[in-house]
Structures are given as structure tokens and as C-alpha cells.
Amino acid sequence: MPDIENNIKDKHKDLCAQIRHHDRKYHQEDAPEISDAAYDALRRELEALEDAHPELRETPDSPSRSVGAAPAQGFVKVRHAVPMLSLANAMTAEDVQDFLARVRRFLSLSDEDGVDVLAEPKIDGLSCSLRYENGRLVMAATRGDGAEGEDITRNVQAIDDIPKTLAFEGDAPEVLEVRGEIYMRRDDFGALNARLEAAGKKIFANPRNAAAGSVRQLDPSVSAERPLRFFAYATGEAGDGVPTFSTQKDLRDYLGACGFIVSAPARLCADADALLLFHEDILAARPDLPFDIDGLVYKVNRRDWQARLGFVARAPRWAIAHKFPAERAVTTIREIRVQVGRTGTLTPVAELEPITVGGVVVSRATLHNEDEIARKDIRVGDHVEIQRAGDVIPQVVAVLPEHRPADSVPFDFPQACPECGSIAIREAGEAARRCTGGLICPAQALERLKHFVSRNALNVDGLGERLLARFMAKGWVSSPADLFDLPQVNAGAAEPLETWDGWGAQSVRNLFAAIEAAREQPLDRFIYALGIRQVGQATARRLAAACLTLGNWRDAMARAQDRDGEAYADLLAIEDIGPGVADDLLGFFAEAHNLAVLDALCARMTITDYAPPSRAADSPLSGKTVVFTGTLSTMSRDEAKTRAEAMGAKISGSVSKKTDYIVAGADAGSKLEKAKTLGITVLSEQNWLDMVSKN
Ligand code: IVH
């Protein structure tokens, strides 16, 4: 490049070096030194220089040639062909016995029928779904919210335990999804932290965080340097060519034969005693295992039974995680703070002298409510024993009175909201004291916003508590609908987001794109996102299934305000909705300010009609209201209801004009009589079996 002045070449070289330096800091070391805005400015300067002197682009290592090496958008979302579920927990021997009893009851087993259960260690890592097409790995995805995860295909390339092609004797199956856990061994974790510490970088709190943090690196070359491993425990979608397994054990053996490492040691147990014995053995062996485990997973061995047992909410009925006992430690309480939740509940939290419990630094514990503090007489300055179990918030199990400071006084629980000063009342029969400030309480507003954008609600990436709190402090956002106006508000702001420390044009674009993408939501997610007390995901789904459209739902809630009317009876007829939940729902709709929030949201969002599970769409029960009565001889009532719901039916507990079918087992009583007088179609157990067996 003879005709370019030397000072321009120097300038170019300098810019390239700076950008490469910051790329490395950001993508590989997780330790950016400058804000996105400053980085963007460097990039623009380079672009301008190269526009003016196009020859400079030929410099082999110019960063302008490598734009997009790491996806700036973060990870690409992928939908799971088969949802990835979680597990219910058992903490005690009794919970395990209950689990087996539930399984037996659901399947209507006789006393002679044995239930074999496969037990295997539960390794605490990051769950991952691997998709193989014709034997070749084509996609790796995180669990995400279970329905949709993130594409981490490039990040798992260097994990040796994940075969890139599968070993098969004959033709490889067209599709095989293998699910399992990415984890880090204890010794590898120790070595990694030592390395990070020596380099002056942030270390990880435990092997689980290290595994998750290492996989979720935008730059796959960083993941590649991390000592990750994988074990397989399940399949997802399985196409032609994958055998039908009759037992979980067969499935496990197949995964092993395909080239995967499966969770070990495992044992096939014939009853609760055998499971509990294995649990004891593994608990004793736990300190010597090379990896952290947080319990065992028990799975009903017969796959035909697994299929019948199906799922409740998002966990299989045929499996359970038997957790190991919580780990405990003693520390002191520095301070007791009272937090205000989304629905105004005042929750006391102990600020602790930080202490390591089971490999994790703990500095807070929940104190539940004011009665709990009084009952245990928990005071500031006390020595307390705390415990931590899994991901739950640590708890105070006991106060050690012998160490109590002489001047300590009982904790005086506030009678007013610490955030907005409104009075906090306790209704009869309730453990919680609640702030009466409603929308004027900033804490409630913030918690509501957090819930609104959370993973199972609108799932807006990159909008965390701190950012929401800043938006609120600026007056940009006070209620959920304001989020959708953020881009306009930001454009007109004196100090737009782009100028904030740590923000640049690209990160602002990403945030606004995530908000934009959240505008369209199915009815069930939308109902859940509203954060109405006692309306969790399952209840939201049932409401959506019963009403189908947003308009119907609002209409039904308005009409149900009349407690003597038909709409109220319809509401109570929905499975799992009792008078308590109905009170909270109707209470929400009785408040003008909530209706205003709803209107504002509806003006900005598209709420799509409830879509029943796909295979239900063309079933004869789709959209039908079904009542079960009497005793069925071939399956339990629970199994029957589950099957009906999976086929798109709405289950009701009482007969009315809206009932489409009544399934009458033996000894059906008054419901059957009523159905007959109303002229409702009565199905015998055999009619019912014919109907479900076709689906
Ligand atoms: S089976 C449908 N087996 O634990 C059942 N899960 O708490 C799917 N996990 O999301 C789970 N070890 O990531 C299963 N041996 C094991 C496991 C295991 C760890 C994880 C898994 C799951 C989570 C639930």
C-alpha cells in the first residue's frame, strides 16, 4: 500500500489492535473494559477509515473482515419437537412411598402387580437436547422454558462425550433426539477456577454454574476450552428406525450402544425399600464421586406405563427426583429486611454474614412471615443454623440462643409498607401481611413488571430487575403496557439508553427487538403474565382452555362477578378453580385500575386464541366439556381426566347445560340423573374406551 500515508496506516493498525483487544475481553473473557457505545464508536471509526481507503480492507487481520464472528443477537431460539420437562421432588422416605402409591392408584394396579423402578444419579448441570438426523448431530439446544431453548450447537462441538456421529449397526434412524445433562467434574472445576483466579478473572460459585456459564458463551472457542462432559438420560423425538423400548432400562442400554455415557451407578428396584436402600448407599458414596449430585431420579421402568401415566403440568407422573438432605451451616444475622412482593406480600429476609454451604456462598435467607419470626424468636445479631437445598432460597432452621447478644431485642415487624408507607394489613386466617398500596407501591409495580417479562410469561430476554428499576426511576415505565412504548419514549428522551454506560446501538436494538417479539402471545401465557394471585401456569391454561379467546375470557370474568349467576358456576366448574382462586380472579377484575391495565395491554398486544395440544385438534373430544362420574374399572378417574384433557376436552366437576358428555362408571349417582334430565349424551365406560383408544 505505497500510496497511503504512514500515519493513516498507523492509525488503522492501532484501531484494529484496539478492536481485537476489546473483542477478546468481551467474547472470550467475559470482562469488557469499555461500554458498547465506545466499542461501536471504534467500529465506526474503522469503517470510515476503510471507506476512505478501501485498500486497508485488504489487511489480513482487519476486524472488519470478521464482523459477526460471534452472533451479536445472542443465541438463536429453537423450539423443541417434544417439550423438555422438569421433575417433581421427593425429600423424604414418605414422599417416595407416596410417589409409588400414586403410580399404583393412577394405573389401578392390583396388589400382585409389581412396579419396577430404575434409579440413577441426578447430576446437577445444564440440560441439553441433541438432535441427530441420519446419525449426524445437527442441533444442540438448551432446555430454556421447556418449549423453546437456545441453539448451542457450536458450543458443544468440543465436548468429547457428545458424539458427532452415532454408532449404528444398520441404517441410522432419520431422527433421534437425545436428552441429557452437560456438567463439569469437581476436579476440572477446581482447576478451571484456579486458572481463572490466576488470570484475575471472576471465578464460578459451583460446578453447575461453571458448566452453564461455559456453554452459554457466545464465542464457541471459549466453550471449547472448558472441560465439559455429558451424560444421557432420555430421548426426545424418535423417528423411524428407533426401536420401541419396553423399559427405561432398554432405552438406557440403547443410548449406551449409540455411544453415550449414561448416568451411573444405576439400579433397578422392585419397591420403596429397595429405592431407599440405594439412596442411602449413594448418599454414603457421594463425597467420593467425581461429580456433584443433588439426588437420585426414580423412573417407572415399564414404558407403556410411563405413557399412561403421562404428565402433570410440566413434570412426568412416572418419575421423581429424590433429593439429598439439605446442607447446613451456622452464621449470624446482620440485618432483617422486609421485601414487598408482586401482590403486596411483606416477606422478611435475613441478611447474613456470608458463609459457604455446600459449595455456594449464602448471604440471605428467607424468614417466611412474621409468625415464623415470632415463633422462632429470630433477632438481629443471632447465631442461626441455615440450610440450603437445591435451588431454593436458603432457610433458617434454628436459632442458637446461647450465642445471643445481651442487648438483643425481638424483631418488630412493620405495620406499614417499607416501600410506599401504606398500611399493611393481615386478613383473618392469612399468614402474610400485605401492603394496601396497590399500584402506587413501587415495589409491587416492579415485581409485577418482573413477573410480566419472566420466562414463563412474556419471556423478554435481557430485561432484568435492575434495568426495569432504572426505567421506573426515570418515569419511562410504570405499568406493563409501558414496555411496548419504550422505543418511542427512548427516542424522545434527553438521555436515551444508547448513551447509558454499558449500552450501545446494538444492545438497544436487541432489547427493543425482544420486546417487539413479545407483543404476540397465546391466551394462556397472557393470563399467567398478568400475575393475578393464585393464578399460576396450570390455572391460566385451564382458564384459557375453557374460554378460548381473550374476548370470551374478559366477558366471562365480568359476568362471573354475580356470585349467584351461571357464569360464576361455570368458573367454579373449571378443574382446580375453587372459591378462593375465584375470589382472587374476580377481585382482579373488580378493580378499575386493573381493567385499565388490561385495556392498555390489549391495545398494544395481539393475544392469540388458546391452541389445544396439537394432537387434540381433530379428536372427537376437542373443545367438549366432559364430566366423569362413578367408578371406572379399567383406569383411575385421574388417568381418564388426563387422557380427556390431552384430547382437548375441558373437564368439569358438575353437570350443566354446557356439558357435552358424561362418562358414567359403576355406581354413578345424582350427576348421571341430572345429565339424563338435561338430555346430555351419556357414555358408558366401553364407549369412552373406544373413543380414547382411537387417539
Ligand atoms: S429425567 C422427563 N434423569 O434434572 C424426565 N433428569 O430437575 C426428564 N437431571 O431437567 C428428566 N439427572 O435436567 C432425568 N438422571 C436424570 C437426571 C435428570 C439430572 C435433570 C434434568 C431435569 C432436571 C429436573
mmCIF file with all atom_site columns, all heavy atoms in Angstrom, residues 85-87 120-123 127 143 181 231 233 263 297 299 316 318, ligand 1:
data_model
loop_
_atom_site.group_PDB
_atom_site.id
_atom_site.type_symbol
_atom_site.label_atom_id
_atom_site.label_alt_id
_atom_site.label_comp_id
_atom_site.label_asym_id
_atom_site.label_entity_id
_atom_site.label_seq_id
_atom_site.pdbx_PDB_ins_code
_atom_site.Cartn_x
_atom_site.Cartn_y
_atom_site.Cartn_z
_atom_site.occupancy
_atom_site.B_iso_or_equiv
_atom_site.pdbx_formal_charge
_atom_site.auth_seq_id
_atom_site.auth_comp_id
_atom_site.auth_asym_id
_atom_site.auth_atom_id
_atom_site.pdbx_PDB_model_num
ATOM   1   N N   . LEU A 1 85  ? -39.039 -31.533 29.970 1.00 0.00 ? 85  LEU A N   1
ATOM   2   C CA  . LEU A 1 85  ? -39.787 -31.378 31.216 1.00 0.00 ? 85  LEU A CA  1
ATOM   3   C C   . LEU A 1 85  ? -38.867 -31.252 32.415 1.00 0.00 ? 85  LEU A C   1
ATOM   4   O O   . LEU A 1 85  ? -37.667 -31.430 32.308 1.00 0.00 ? 85  LEU A O   1
ATOM   5   C CB  . LEU A 1 85  ? -40.694 -32.590 31.389 1.00 0.00 ? 85  LEU A CB  1
ATOM   6   C CG  . LEU A 1 85  ? -41.643 -32.741 30.212 1.00 0.00 ? 85  LEU A CG  1
ATOM   7   C CD1 . LEU A 1 85  ? -42.098 -34.164 30.083 1.00 0.00 ? 85  LEU A CD1 1
ATOM   8   C CD2 . LEU A 1 85  ? -42.815 -31.796 30.365 1.00 0.00 ? 85  LEU A CD2 1
ATOM   9   N N   . SER A 1 86  ? -39.474 -30.951 33.543 1.00 0.00 ? 86  SER A N   1
ATOM   10  C CA  . SER A 1 86  ? -38.694 -30.973 34.773 1.00 0.00 ? 86  SER A CA  1
ATOM   11  C C   . SER A 1 86  ? -39.229 -32.110 35.637 1.00 0.00 ? 86  SER A C   1
ATOM   12  O O   . SER A 1 86  ? -40.064 -32.881 35.195 1.00 0.00 ? 86  SER A O   1
ATOM   13  C CB  . SER A 1 86  ? -38.791 -29.628 35.470 1.00 0.00 ? 86  SER A CB  1
ATOM   14  O OG  . SER A 1 86  ? -40.131 -29.318 35.687 1.00 0.00 ? 86  SER A OG  1
ATOM   15  N N   . LEU A 1 87  ? -38.750 -32.205 36.840 1.00 0.00 ? 87  LEU A N   1
ATOM   16  C CA  . LEU A 1 87  ? -39.144 -33.312 37.708 1.00 0.00 ? 87  LEU A CA  1
ATOM   17  C C   . LEU A 1 87  ? -39.719 -32.788 39.006 1.00 0.00 ? 87  LEU A C   1
ATOM   18  O O   . LEU A 1 87  ? -39.279 -31.764 39.523 1.00 0.00 ? 87  LEU A O   1
ATOM   19  C CB  . LEU A 1 87  ? -37.913 -34.162 38.053 1.00 0.00 ? 87  LEU A CB  1
ATOM   20  C CG  . LEU A 1 87  ? -37.297 -34.992 36.936 1.00 0.00 ? 87  LEU A CG  1
ATOM   21  C CD1 . LEU A 1 87  ? -35.962 -35.561 37.388 1.00 0.00 ? 87  LEU A CD1 1
ATOM   22  C CD2 . LEU A 1 87  ? -38.234 -36.111 36.540 1.00 0.00 ? 87  LEU A CD2 1
ATOM   23  N N   . GLU A 1 120 ? -31.311 -43.660 39.147 1.00 0.00 ? 120 GLU A N   1
ATOM   24  C CA  . GLU A 1 120 ? -29.985 -43.243 38.677 1.00 0.00 ? 120 GLU A CA  1
ATOM   25  C C   . GLU A 1 120 ? -29.634 -41.889 39.274 1.00 0.00 ? 120 GLU A C   1
ATOM   26  O O   . GLU A 1 120 ? -30.527 -41.137 39.678 1.00 0.00 ? 120 GLU A O   1
ATOM   27  C CB  . GLU A 1 120 ? -29.921 -43.216 37.144 1.00 0.00 ? 120 GLU A CB  1
ATOM   28  C CG  . GLU A 1 120 ? -30.988 -42.370 36.487 1.00 0.00 ? 120 GLU A CG  1
ATOM   29  C CD  . GLU A 1 120 ? -30.996 -42.492 34.956 1.00 0.00 ? 120 GLU A CD  1
ATOM   30  O OE1 . GLU A 1 120 ? -30.599 -43.520 34.413 1.00 0.00 ? 120 GLU A OE1 1
ATOM   31  O OE2 . GLU A 1 120 ? -31.420 -41.507 34.327 1.00 0.00 ? 120 GLU A OE2 1
ATOM   32  N N   . PRO A 1 121 ? -28.334 -41.553 39.355 1.00 0.00 ? 121 PRO A N   1
ATOM   33  C CA  . PRO A 1 121 ? -27.958 -40.282 39.983 1.00 0.00 ? 121 PRO A CA  1
ATOM   34  C C   . PRO A 1 121 ? -28.490 -39.080 39.214 1.00 0.00 ? 121 PRO A C   1
ATOM   35  O O   . PRO A 1 121 ? -28.641 -39.128 37.995 1.00 0.00 ? 121 PRO A O   1
ATOM   36  C CB  . PRO A 1 121 ? -26.429 -40.296 39.931 1.00 0.00 ? 121 PRO A CB  1
ATOM   37  C CG  . PRO A 1 121 ? -26.045 -41.704 39.699 1.00 0.00 ? 121 PRO A CG  1
ATOM   38  C CD  . PRO A 1 121 ? -27.164 -42.339 38.938 1.00 0.00 ? 121 PRO A CD  1
ATOM   39  N N   . LYS A 1 122 ? -28.778 -38.036 39.943 1.00 0.00 ? 122 LYS A N   1
ATOM   40  C CA  . LYS A 1 122 ? -29.207 -36.780 39.339 1.00 0.00 ? 122 LYS A CA  1
ATOM   41  C C   . LYS A 1 122 ? -28.027 -35.829 39.408 1.00 0.00 ? 122 LYS A C   1
ATOM   42  O O   . LYS A 1 122 ? -27.675 -35.349 40.485 1.00 0.00 ? 122 LYS A O   1
ATOM   43  C CB  . LYS A 1 122 ? -30.403 -36.222 40.099 1.00 0.00 ? 122 LYS A CB  1
ATOM   44  C CG  . LYS A 1 122 ? -30.940 -34.911 39.547 1.00 0.00 ? 122 LYS A CG  1
ATOM   45  C CD  . LYS A 1 122 ? -32.268 -34.603 40.195 1.00 0.00 ? 122 LYS A CD  1
ATOM   46  C CE  . LYS A 1 122 ? -32.935 -33.335 39.701 1.00 0.00 ? 122 LYS A CE  1
ATOM   47  N NZ  . LYS A 1 122 ? -32.103 -32.200 39.406 1.00 0.00 ? 122 LYS A NZ  1
ATOM   48  N N   . ILE A 1 123 ? -27.404 -35.619 38.280 1.00 0.00 ? 123 ILE A N   1
ATOM   49  C CA  . ILE A 1 123 ? -26.245 -34.729 38.248 1.00 0.00 ? 123 ILE A CA  1
ATOM   50  C C   . ILE A 1 123 ? -26.736 -33.314 38.002 1.00 0.00 ? 123 ILE A C   1
ATOM   51  O O   . ILE A 1 123 ? -27.596 -33.085 37.162 1.00 0.00 ? 123 ILE A O   1
ATOM   52  C CB  . ILE A 1 123 ? -25.254 -35.142 37.143 1.00 0.00 ? 123 ILE A CB  1
ATOM   53  C CG1 . ILE A 1 123 ? -24.719 -36.535 37.429 1.00 0.00 ? 123 ILE A CG1 1
ATOM   54  C CG2 . ILE A 1 123 ? -24.114 -34.138 37.055 1.00 0.00 ? 123 ILE A CG2 1
ATOM   55  C CD1 . ILE A 1 123 ? -23.619 -36.981 36.511 1.00 0.00 ? 123 ILE A CD1 1
ATOM   56  N N   . SER A 1 127 ? -29.389 -28.960 31.342 1.00 0.00 ? 127 SER A N   1
ATOM   57  C CA  . SER A 1 127 ? -29.960 -29.974 30.465 1.00 0.00 ? 127 SER A CA  1
ATOM   58  C C   . SER A 1 127 ? -29.904 -29.529 29.018 1.00 0.00 ? 127 SER A C   1
ATOM   59  O O   . SER A 1 127 ? -29.978 -28.345 28.700 1.00 0.00 ? 127 SER A O   1
ATOM   60  C CB  . SER A 1 127 ? -31.375 -30.382 30.870 1.00 0.00 ? 127 SER A CB  1
ATOM   61  O OG  . SER A 1 127 ? -32.064 -29.298 31.388 1.00 0.00 ? 127 SER A OG  1
ATOM   62  N N   . ARG A 1 143 ? -32.454 -26.286 27.495 1.00 0.00 ? 143 ARG A N   1
ATOM   63  C CA  . ARG A 1 143 ? -33.842 -26.567 27.840 1.00 0.00 ? 143 ARG A CA  1
ATOM   64  C C   . ARG A 1 143 ? -34.712 -25.325 27.704 1.00 0.00 ? 143 ARG A C   1
ATOM   65  O O   . ARG A 1 143 ? -35.845 -25.396 27.263 1.00 0.00 ? 143 ARG A O   1
ATOM   66  C CB  . ARG A 1 143 ? -33.885 -27.082 29.274 1.00 0.00 ? 143 ARG A CB  1
ATOM   67  C CG  . ARG A 1 143 ? -35.266 -27.249 29.811 1.00 0.00 ? 143 ARG A CG  1
ATOM   68  C CD  . ARG A 1 143 ? -35.222 -28.075 31.085 1.00 0.00 ? 143 ARG A CD  1
ATOM   69  N NE  . ARG A 1 143 ? -36.542 -28.207 31.628 1.00 0.00 ? 143 ARG A NE  1
ATOM   70  C CZ  . ARG A 1 143 ? -37.074 -27.366 32.493 1.00 0.00 ? 143 ARG A CZ  1
ATOM   71  N NH1 . ARG A 1 143 ? -36.369 -26.365 32.933 1.00 0.00 ? 143 ARG A NH1 1
ATOM   72  N NH2 . ARG A 1 143 ? -38.284 -27.529 32.927 1.00 0.00 ? 143 ARG A NH2 1
ATOM   73  N N   . GLU A 1 181 ? -27.498 -34.243 30.389 1.00 0.00 ? 181 GLU A N   1
ATOM   74  C CA  . GLU A 1 181 ? -27.007 -33.152 31.208 1.00 0.00 ? 181 GLU A CA  1
ATOM   75  C C   . GLU A 1 181 ? -25.558 -32.848 30.845 1.00 0.00 ? 181 GLU A C   1
ATOM   76  O O   . GLU A 1 181 ? -24.735 -33.763 30.779 1.00 0.00 ? 181 GLU A O   1
ATOM   77  C CB  . GLU A 1 181 ? -27.111 -33.594 32.681 1.00 0.00 ? 181 GLU A CB  1
ATOM   78  C CG  . GLU A 1 181 ? -27.197 -32.480 33.671 1.00 0.00 ? 181 GLU A CG  1
ATOM   79  C CD  . GLU A 1 181 ? -28.633 -31.947 33.857 1.00 0.00 ? 181 GLU A CD  1
ATOM   80  O OE1 . GLU A 1 181 ? -29.553 -32.362 33.116 1.00 0.00 ? 181 GLU A OE1 1
ATOM   81  O OE2 . GLU A 1 181 ? -28.790 -31.091 34.737 1.00 0.00 ? 181 GLU A OE2 1
ATOM   82  N N   . PHE A 1 231 ? -23.796 -36.597 30.088 1.00 0.00 ? 231 PHE A N   1
ATOM   83  C CA  . PHE A 1 231 ? -24.375 -37.934 30.187 1.00 0.00 ? 231 PHE A CA  1
ATOM   84  C C   . PHE A 1 231 ? -25.806 -37.877 29.696 1.00 0.00 ? 231 PHE A C   1
ATOM   85  O O   . PHE A 1 231 ? -26.473 -36.852 29.786 1.00 0.00 ? 231 PHE A O   1
ATOM   86  C CB  . PHE A 1 231 ? -24.266 -38.510 31.604 1.00 0.00 ? 231 PHE A CB  1
ATOM   87  C CG  . PHE A 1 231 ? -25.263 -37.972 32.572 1.00 0.00 ? 231 PHE A CG  1
ATOM   88  C CD1 . PHE A 1 231 ? -26.521 -38.543 32.686 1.00 0.00 ? 231 PHE A CD1 1
ATOM   89  C CD2 . PHE A 1 231 ? -24.939 -36.902 33.381 1.00 0.00 ? 231 PHE A CD2 1
ATOM   90  C CE1 . PHE A 1 231 ? -27.449 -38.046 33.575 1.00 0.00 ? 231 PHE A CE1 1
ATOM   91  C CE2 . PHE A 1 231 ? -25.862 -36.393 34.275 1.00 0.00 ? 231 PHE A CE2 1
ATOM   92  C CZ  . PHE A 1 231 ? -27.125 -36.960 34.372 1.00 0.00 ? 231 PHE A CZ  1
ATOM   93  N N   . TYR A 1 233 ? -29.816 -39.282 29.472 1.00 0.00 ? 233 TYR A N   1
ATOM   94  C CA  . TYR A 1 233 ? -30.805 -39.949 30.314 1.00 0.00 ? 233 TYR A CA  1
ATOM   95  C C   . TYR A 1 233 ? -32.170 -40.135 29.651 1.00 0.00 ? 233 TYR A C   1
ATOM   96  O O   . TYR A 1 233 ? -33.055 -40.750 30.232 1.00 0.00 ? 233 TYR A O   1
ATOM   97  C CB  . TYR A 1 233 ? -30.964 -39.232 31.650 1.00 0.00 ? 233 TYR A CB  1
ATOM   98  C CG  . TYR A 1 233 ? -31.309 -37.756 31.565 1.00 0.00 ? 233 TYR A CG  1
ATOM   99  C CD1 . TYR A 1 233 ? -32.522 -37.331 31.051 1.00 0.00 ? 233 TYR A CD1 1
ATOM   100 C CD2 . TYR A 1 233 ? -30.403 -36.793 32.005 1.00 0.00 ? 233 TYR A CD2 1
ATOM   101 C CE1 . TYR A 1 233 ? -32.829 -35.989 30.969 1.00 0.00 ? 233 TYR A CE1 1
ATOM   102 C CE2 . TYR A 1 233 ? -30.700 -35.443 31.931 1.00 0.00 ? 233 TYR A CE2 1
ATOM   103 C CZ  . TYR A 1 233 ? -31.918 -35.048 31.412 1.00 0.00 ? 233 TYR A CZ  1
ATOM   104 O OH  . TYR A 1 233 ? -32.217 -33.723 31.325 1.00 0.00 ? 233 TYR A OH  1
ATOM   105 N N   . SER A 1 263 ? -25.978 -42.048 33.009 1.00 0.00 ? 263 SER A N   1
ATOM   106 C CA  . SER A 1 263 ? -25.756 -41.732 34.414 1.00 0.00 ? 263 SER A CA  1
ATOM   107 C C   . SER A 1 263 ? -25.565 -43.013 35.225 1.00 0.00 ? 263 SER A C   1
ATOM   108 O O   . SER A 1 263 ? -26.383 -43.914 35.166 1.00 0.00 ? 263 SER A O   1
ATOM   109 C CB  . SER A 1 263 ? -26.968 -40.957 34.923 1.00 0.00 ? 263 SER A CB  1
ATOM   110 O OG  . SER A 1 263 ? -26.934 -40.851 36.308 1.00 0.00 ? 263 SER A OG  1
ATOM   111 N N   . VAL A 1 297 ? -32.765 -39.908 40.565 1.00 0.00 ? 297 VAL A N   1
ATOM   112 C CA  . VAL A 1 297 ? -34.024 -39.830 39.814 1.00 0.00 ? 297 VAL A CA  1
ATOM   113 C C   . VAL A 1 297 ? -34.595 -41.234 39.737 1.00 0.00 ? 297 VAL A C   1
ATOM   114 O O   . VAL A 1 297 ? -33.877 -42.182 39.420 1.00 0.00 ? 297 VAL A O   1
ATOM   115 C CB  . VAL A 1 297 ? -33.805 -39.268 38.390 1.00 0.00 ? 297 VAL A CB  1
ATOM   116 C CG1 . VAL A 1 297 ? -35.142 -39.128 37.678 1.00 0.00 ? 297 VAL A CG1 1
ATOM   117 C CG2 . VAL A 1 297 ? -33.094 -37.941 38.439 1.00 0.00 ? 297 VAL A CG2 1
ATOM   118 N N   . LYS A 1 299 ? -37.411 -43.671 37.991 1.00 0.00 ? 299 LYS A N   1
ATOM   119 C CA  . LYS A 1 299 ? -38.280 -43.713 36.809 1.00 0.00 ? 299 LYS A CA  1
ATOM   120 C C   . LYS A 1 299 ? -38.981 -45.060 36.735 1.00 0.00 ? 299 LYS A C   1
ATOM   121 O O   . LYS A 1 299 ? -38.313 -46.097 36.777 1.00 0.00 ? 299 LYS A O   1
ATOM   122 C CB  . LYS A 1 299 ? -37.445 -43.519 35.535 1.00 0.00 ? 299 LYS A CB  1
ATOM   123 C CG  . LYS A 1 299 ? -36.612 -42.255 35.561 1.00 0.00 ? 299 LYS A CG  1
ATOM   124 C CD  . LYS A 1 299 ? -35.689 -42.149 34.362 1.00 0.00 ? 299 LYS A CD  1
ATOM   125 C CE  . LYS A 1 299 ? -34.815 -40.911 34.535 1.00 0.00 ? 299 LYS A CE  1
ATOM   126 N NZ  . LYS A 1 299 ? -33.883 -40.706 33.433 1.00 0.00 ? 299 LYS A NZ  1
ATOM   127 N N   . PRO A 1 316 ? -43.224 -35.353 34.578 1.00 0.00 ? 316 PRO A N   1
ATOM   128 C CA  . PRO A 1 316 ? -43.866 -36.649 34.357 1.00 0.00 ? 316 PRO A CA  1
ATOM   129 C C   . PRO A 1 316 ? -44.413 -37.210 35.665 1.00 0.00 ? 316 PRO A C   1
ATOM   130 O O   . PRO A 1 316 ? -43.826 -37.003 36.718 1.00 0.00 ? 316 PRO A O   1
ATOM   131 C CB  . PRO A 1 316 ? -42.727 -37.529 33.834 1.00 0.00 ? 316 PRO A CB  1
ATOM   132 C CG  . PRO A 1 316 ? -41.470 -36.854 34.230 1.00 0.00 ? 316 PRO A CG  1
ATOM   133 C CD  . PRO A 1 316 ? -41.769 -35.398 34.383 1.00 0.00 ? 316 PRO A CD  1
ATOM   134 N N   . TRP A 1 318 ? -44.483 -40.322 36.030 1.00 0.00 ? 318 TRP A N   1
ATOM   135 C CA  . TRP A 1 318 ? -43.792 -41.603 36.180 1.00 0.00 ? 318 TRP A CA  1
ATOM   136 C C   . TRP A 1 318 ? -42.365 -41.459 36.703 1.00 0.00 ? 318 TRP A C   1
ATOM   137 O O   . TRP A 1 318 ? -41.626 -42.426 36.766 1.00 0.00 ? 318 TRP A O   1
ATOM   138 C CB  . TRP A 1 318 ? -43.795 -42.358 34.850 1.00 0.00 ? 318 TRP A CB  1
ATOM   139 C CG  . TRP A 1 318 ? -43.373 -41.522 33.653 1.00 0.00 ? 318 TRP A CG  1
ATOM   140 C CD1 . TRP A 1 318 ? -44.183 -40.844 32.802 1.00 0.00 ? 318 TRP A CD1 1
ATOM   141 C CD2 . TRP A 1 318 ? -42.040 -41.277 33.192 1.00 0.00 ? 318 TRP A CD2 1
ATOM   142 N NE1 . TRP A 1 318 ? -43.448 -40.188 31.845 1.00 0.00 ? 318 TRP A NE1 1
ATOM   143 C CE2 . TRP A 1 318 ? -42.128 -40.448 32.057 1.00 0.00 ? 318 TRP A CE2 1
ATOM   144 C CE3 . TRP A 1 318 ? -40.775 -41.690 33.618 1.00 0.00 ? 318 TRP A CE3 1
ATOM   145 C CZ2 . TRP A 1 318 ? -41.009 -40.001 31.354 1.00 0.00 ? 318 TRP A CZ2 1
ATOM   146 C CZ3 . TRP A 1 318 ? -39.650 -41.244 32.924 1.00 0.00 ? 318 TRP A CZ3 1
ATOM   147 C CH2 . TRP A 1 318 ? -39.780 -40.409 31.802 1.00 0.00 ? 318 TRP A CH2 1
HETATM 148 S S1  . IVH B 2 .   ? -35.005 -37.452 33.593 1.00 0.00 ? 1   IVH B S1  1
HETATM 149 C C1  . IVH B 2 .   ? -38.968 -36.385 31.692 1.00 0.00 ? 1   IVH B C1  1
HETATM 150 N N1  . IVH B 2 .   ? -32.718 -38.181 34.647 1.00 0.00 ? 1   IVH B N1  1
HETATM 151 O O1  . IVH B 2 .   ? -32.970 -32.811 36.421 1.00 0.00 ? 1   IVH B O1  1
HETATM 152 C C2  . IVH B 2 .   ? -37.911 -36.525 32.706 1.00 0.00 ? 1   IVH B C2  1
HETATM 153 N N2  . IVH B 2 .   ? -33.234 -35.866 34.607 1.00 0.00 ? 1   IVH B N2  1
HETATM 154 O O2  . IVH B 2 .   ? -34.981 -31.495 37.996 1.00 0.00 ? 1   IVH B O2  1
HETATM 155 C C3  . IVH B 2 .   ? -36.678 -35.828 32.340 1.00 0.00 ? 1   IVH B C3  1
HETATM 156 N N3  . IVH B 2 .   ? -31.487 -34.428 35.532 1.00 0.00 ? 1   IVH B N3  1
HETATM 157 O O3  . IVH B 2 .   ? -34.483 -31.168 33.733 1.00 0.00 ? 1   IVH B O3  1
HETATM 158 C C4  . IVH B 2 .   ? -35.658 -35.849 33.351 1.00 0.00 ? 1   IVH B C4  1
HETATM 159 N N4  . IVH B 2 .   ? -30.096 -36.028 36.054 1.00 0.00 ? 1   IVH B N4  1
HETATM 160 O O4  . IVH B 2 .   ? -32.017 -31.744 33.515 1.00 0.00 ? 1   IVH B O4  1
HETATM 161 C C5  . IVH B 2 .   ? -33.527 -37.149 34.352 1.00 0.00 ? 1   IVH B C5  1
HETATM 162 N N5  . IVH B 2 .   ? -30.726 -38.970 35.532 1.00 0.00 ? 1   IVH B N5  1
HETATM 163 C C6  . IVH B 2 .   ? -31.532 -37.949 35.218 1.00 0.00 ? 1   IVH B C6  1
HETATM 164 C C7  . IVH B 2 .   ? -31.173 -36.608 35.502 1.00 0.00 ? 1   IVH B C7  1
HETATM 165 C C8  . IVH B 2 .   ? -32.064 -35.589 35.177 1.00 0.00 ? 1   IVH B C8  1
HETATM 166 C C9  . IVH B 2 .   ? -30.294 -34.721 36.054 1.00 0.00 ? 1   IVH B C9  1
HETATM 167 C C10 . IVH B 2 .   ? -32.032 -33.055 35.421 1.00 0.00 ? 1   IVH B C10 1
HETATM 168 C C11 . IVH B 2 .   ? -32.734 -32.767 34.135 1.00 0.00 ? 1   IVH B C11 1
HETATM 169 C C12 . IVH B 2 .   ? -34.086 -32.254 34.510 1.00 0.00 ? 1   IVH B C12 1
HETATM 170 C C13 . IVH B 2 .   ? -33.874 -31.873 35.937 1.00 0.00 ? 1   IVH B C13 1
HETATM 171 C C14 . IVH B 2 .   ? -35.160 -31.912 36.695 1.00 0.00 ? 1   IVH B C14 1
#
